Amino acid sequence: MDRAHEQDGPGRGHRPADTARAEQAAHGEHGDGAQVSTGKAAEAEDTTIPELVIISGMSGAGRSTAAKCLEDLGWFVVDNLPPALIPTMVDLGARSQGNVARIAVVVDVRGRRFFDNLKESLCDLDAKQVTRRVVFLEASDDALVRRFESVRRPHPLQGDGRIVDGIAAERDLLRELRGDADLVIDTSSLNVHELRAKLDAQFAGEEEPELRATVMSFGYKYGLPVDADLVVDCRFLPNPHWVPELRPFTGLNEEVSGYVFNQPGAKEFLDRYTELLQLIAAGYRREGKRYVTVAVGCTGGKHRSVAMSERLARRLSDGGVETVVVHRDMGRE
């Protein structure tokens, strides 16, 4: 990820003519200025409100990569748009006669005023009943410092201080937005292809499912996943690591999985936690939340959490939740 994710900054603007093209689409113009619609046909514009995705997050976490991915998926992407202009962009899309059905906006929040403008714009969009989602790209301090140092660029908020000072200031500024995001993606250990795969899984489909879940196994000794919505601990179960014949294998192995689920409380835990997740999923649907990441942890992320994640994902999938399984730390030992 360090080399593959280019830095996000005011000079990136990989679609400089986006707003002009949207205005052309909104008025039914070709590149030579010719009008496609005339008379009554022009008056009967299709005012279908486009779907909107707002991409934000930490500088250096991969916002530009995410924008390029959505562009490849057919989204109309506007990079580095001032937050106050987002409702205007949506209005232009609504007047495009269906030519701009999906808009992705990359928002770079680098000051308190910009952040206030973004909140005002989100309230305006909600009042217009615009279907919107906020994607927040996250990364650890170590990963961000490494990325900025690799391209020898300062952090946009560091001023006369260090890179870590800029990162800390940005985290504080974006804390509220991160908490309200529909989807948080931690890119600390992702390369560009893995990030694109995650975005493809979320935005490539023609029909939006009611709820998507990512079940992620992890090892506590490697740290908690920062993008987890829910965290569950499997360390109450005996560790197959201490069984010599099971130690080399992972929780994907049938013998390891059988060992885990033959322990007292394992099957009961799976049953009850599945019921709890079904209750939570119903609440998420009512609140319009489309994404949830369930992190399942054990000591090293190799045996118990992997086995439990596989079974839990199967239960969720059987219950109608589109589910992806990720084993974050399997193979790190």
Side-chain angles (χ1 to χ4, degrees):
M1 185 79 176
D2 301 345
R3 186 167 54 85
H5 285 282
E6 63 269 43
Q7 296 297 318
D8 304 305
R12 58 184 191 270
H14 71 278
R15 298 289 295 278
D18 285 322
T19 302
R21 289 191 294 104
E23 290 174 347
Q24 283 185 348
H27 293 91
E29 296 178 358
H30 289 301
D32 59 1
Q35 294 290 330
V36 175
S37 300
T38 58
K40 294 183 179 179
E43 297 175 1
E45 293 180 316
D46 182 355
T47 57
T48 302
I49 299 176
E51 184 180 358
L52 175 68
V53 168
I54 298 171
I55 302 171
S56 190
M58 298 296 295
S59 299
R63 295 190 305 247
S64 295
T65 300
K68 291 177 181 178
C69 177
L70 289 181
E71 185 175 22
D72 291 342
L73 292 174
W75 290 70
F76 189 96
V77 177
V78 186
D79 201 354
N80 207 19
L81 184 71
L85 296 181
I86 295 176
T88 301
M89 193 71 216
V90 173
D91 289 341
L92 289 172
R95 298 200 302 271
S96 70
Q97 302 178 35
N99 293 319
V100 182
R102 299 189 299 176
I103 298 175
V105 175
V106 182
V107 175
D108 186 3
V109 184
R110 294 190 178 176
R112 175 56 58 182
R113 183 56 194 159
F114 262 41
F115 184 73
D116 291 340
N117 287 343
L118 178 58
K119 290 197 295 184
E120 293 171 5
S121 293
L122 293 178
C123 291
D124 187 7
L125 294 170
D126 290 340
K128 295 178 179 178
Q129 297 183 328
V130 175
T131 300
R132 63 166 179 85
R133 287 170 285 176
V134 177
V135 177
F136 190 96
L137 298 175
E138 171 71 276
S140 67
D141 287 2
D142 289 344
L144 293 175
V145 169
R146 193 163 58 246
R147 291 170 190 172
F148 276 104
E149 289 181 342
S150 70
V151 295
R152 299 179 181 178
R153 289 181 59 188
H155 188 281
L157 295 184
Q158 74 180 74
D160 295 329
R162 301 174 300 163
I163 291 175
V164 291
D165 298 325
I167 293 172
E170 189 173 36
R171 284 199 192 283
D172 183 63
L173 184 64
L174 297 178
R175 184 172 289 110
E176 183 178 343
L177 179 62
R178 185 191 187 283
D180 292 336
D182 298 283
L183 177 63
V184 178
I185 300 178
D186 179 15
T187 69
S188 301
S189 59
L190 300 180
N191 60 37
V192 63
H193 306 293
E194 291 168 332
L195 175 56
R196 290 181 69 93
K198 278 182 171 285
L199 291 168
D200 283 347
Q202 301 295 344
F203 296 105
E206 292 295 326
E207 295 184 1
E208 184 69 22
E210 287 189 347
L211 183 65
R212 282 189 173 112
T214 298
V215 179
M216 177 188 299
S217 69
F218 73 96
Y220 276 95
K221 69 179 183 180
Y222 300 115
L224 289 169
V226 298
D227 51 348
D229 297 295
L230 304 167
V231 179
V232 61
D233 189 350
C234 288
R235 291 176 295 179
F236 70 93
L237 297 169
N239 193 347
H241 175 82
W242 304 114
V243 181
E245 58 269 27
L246 299 180
R247 183 178 302 173
F249 302 104
T250 71
L252 298 177
N253 178 271
E254 290 185 7
E255 292 185 7
V256 173
S257 181
Y259 175 86
V260 170
F261 284 98
N262 282 332
Q263 301 304 317
K267 293 178 181 177
E268 182 181 6
F269 172 81
L270 177 62
D271 291 340
R272 293 192 178 185
Y273 196 63
T274 299
E275 292 177 0
L276 178 61
L277 287 179
Q278 289 171 344
L279 179 65
I280 293 172
Y284 280 166
R285 290 186 180 103
R286 289 193 298 270
E287 293 299 316
K289 183 176 177 65
R290 291 188 174 93
Y291 313 101
V292 59
T293 297
V294 181
V296 182
C298 64
T299 303
K302 179 180 179 180
H303 296 112
R304 294 165 290 182
S305 63
V306 172
M308 187 65 71
S309 294
E310 289 289 328
R311 294 281 188 97
L312 187 59
R314 196 179 308 159
R315 294 281 188 94
L316 290 175
S317 181
D318 291 343
V321 177
E322 185 174 322
T323 308
V324 175
V325 186
V326 176
H327 300 301
R328 191 192 73 173
D329 299 324
M330 191 173 69
R332 293 187 66 170
E333 291 185 350

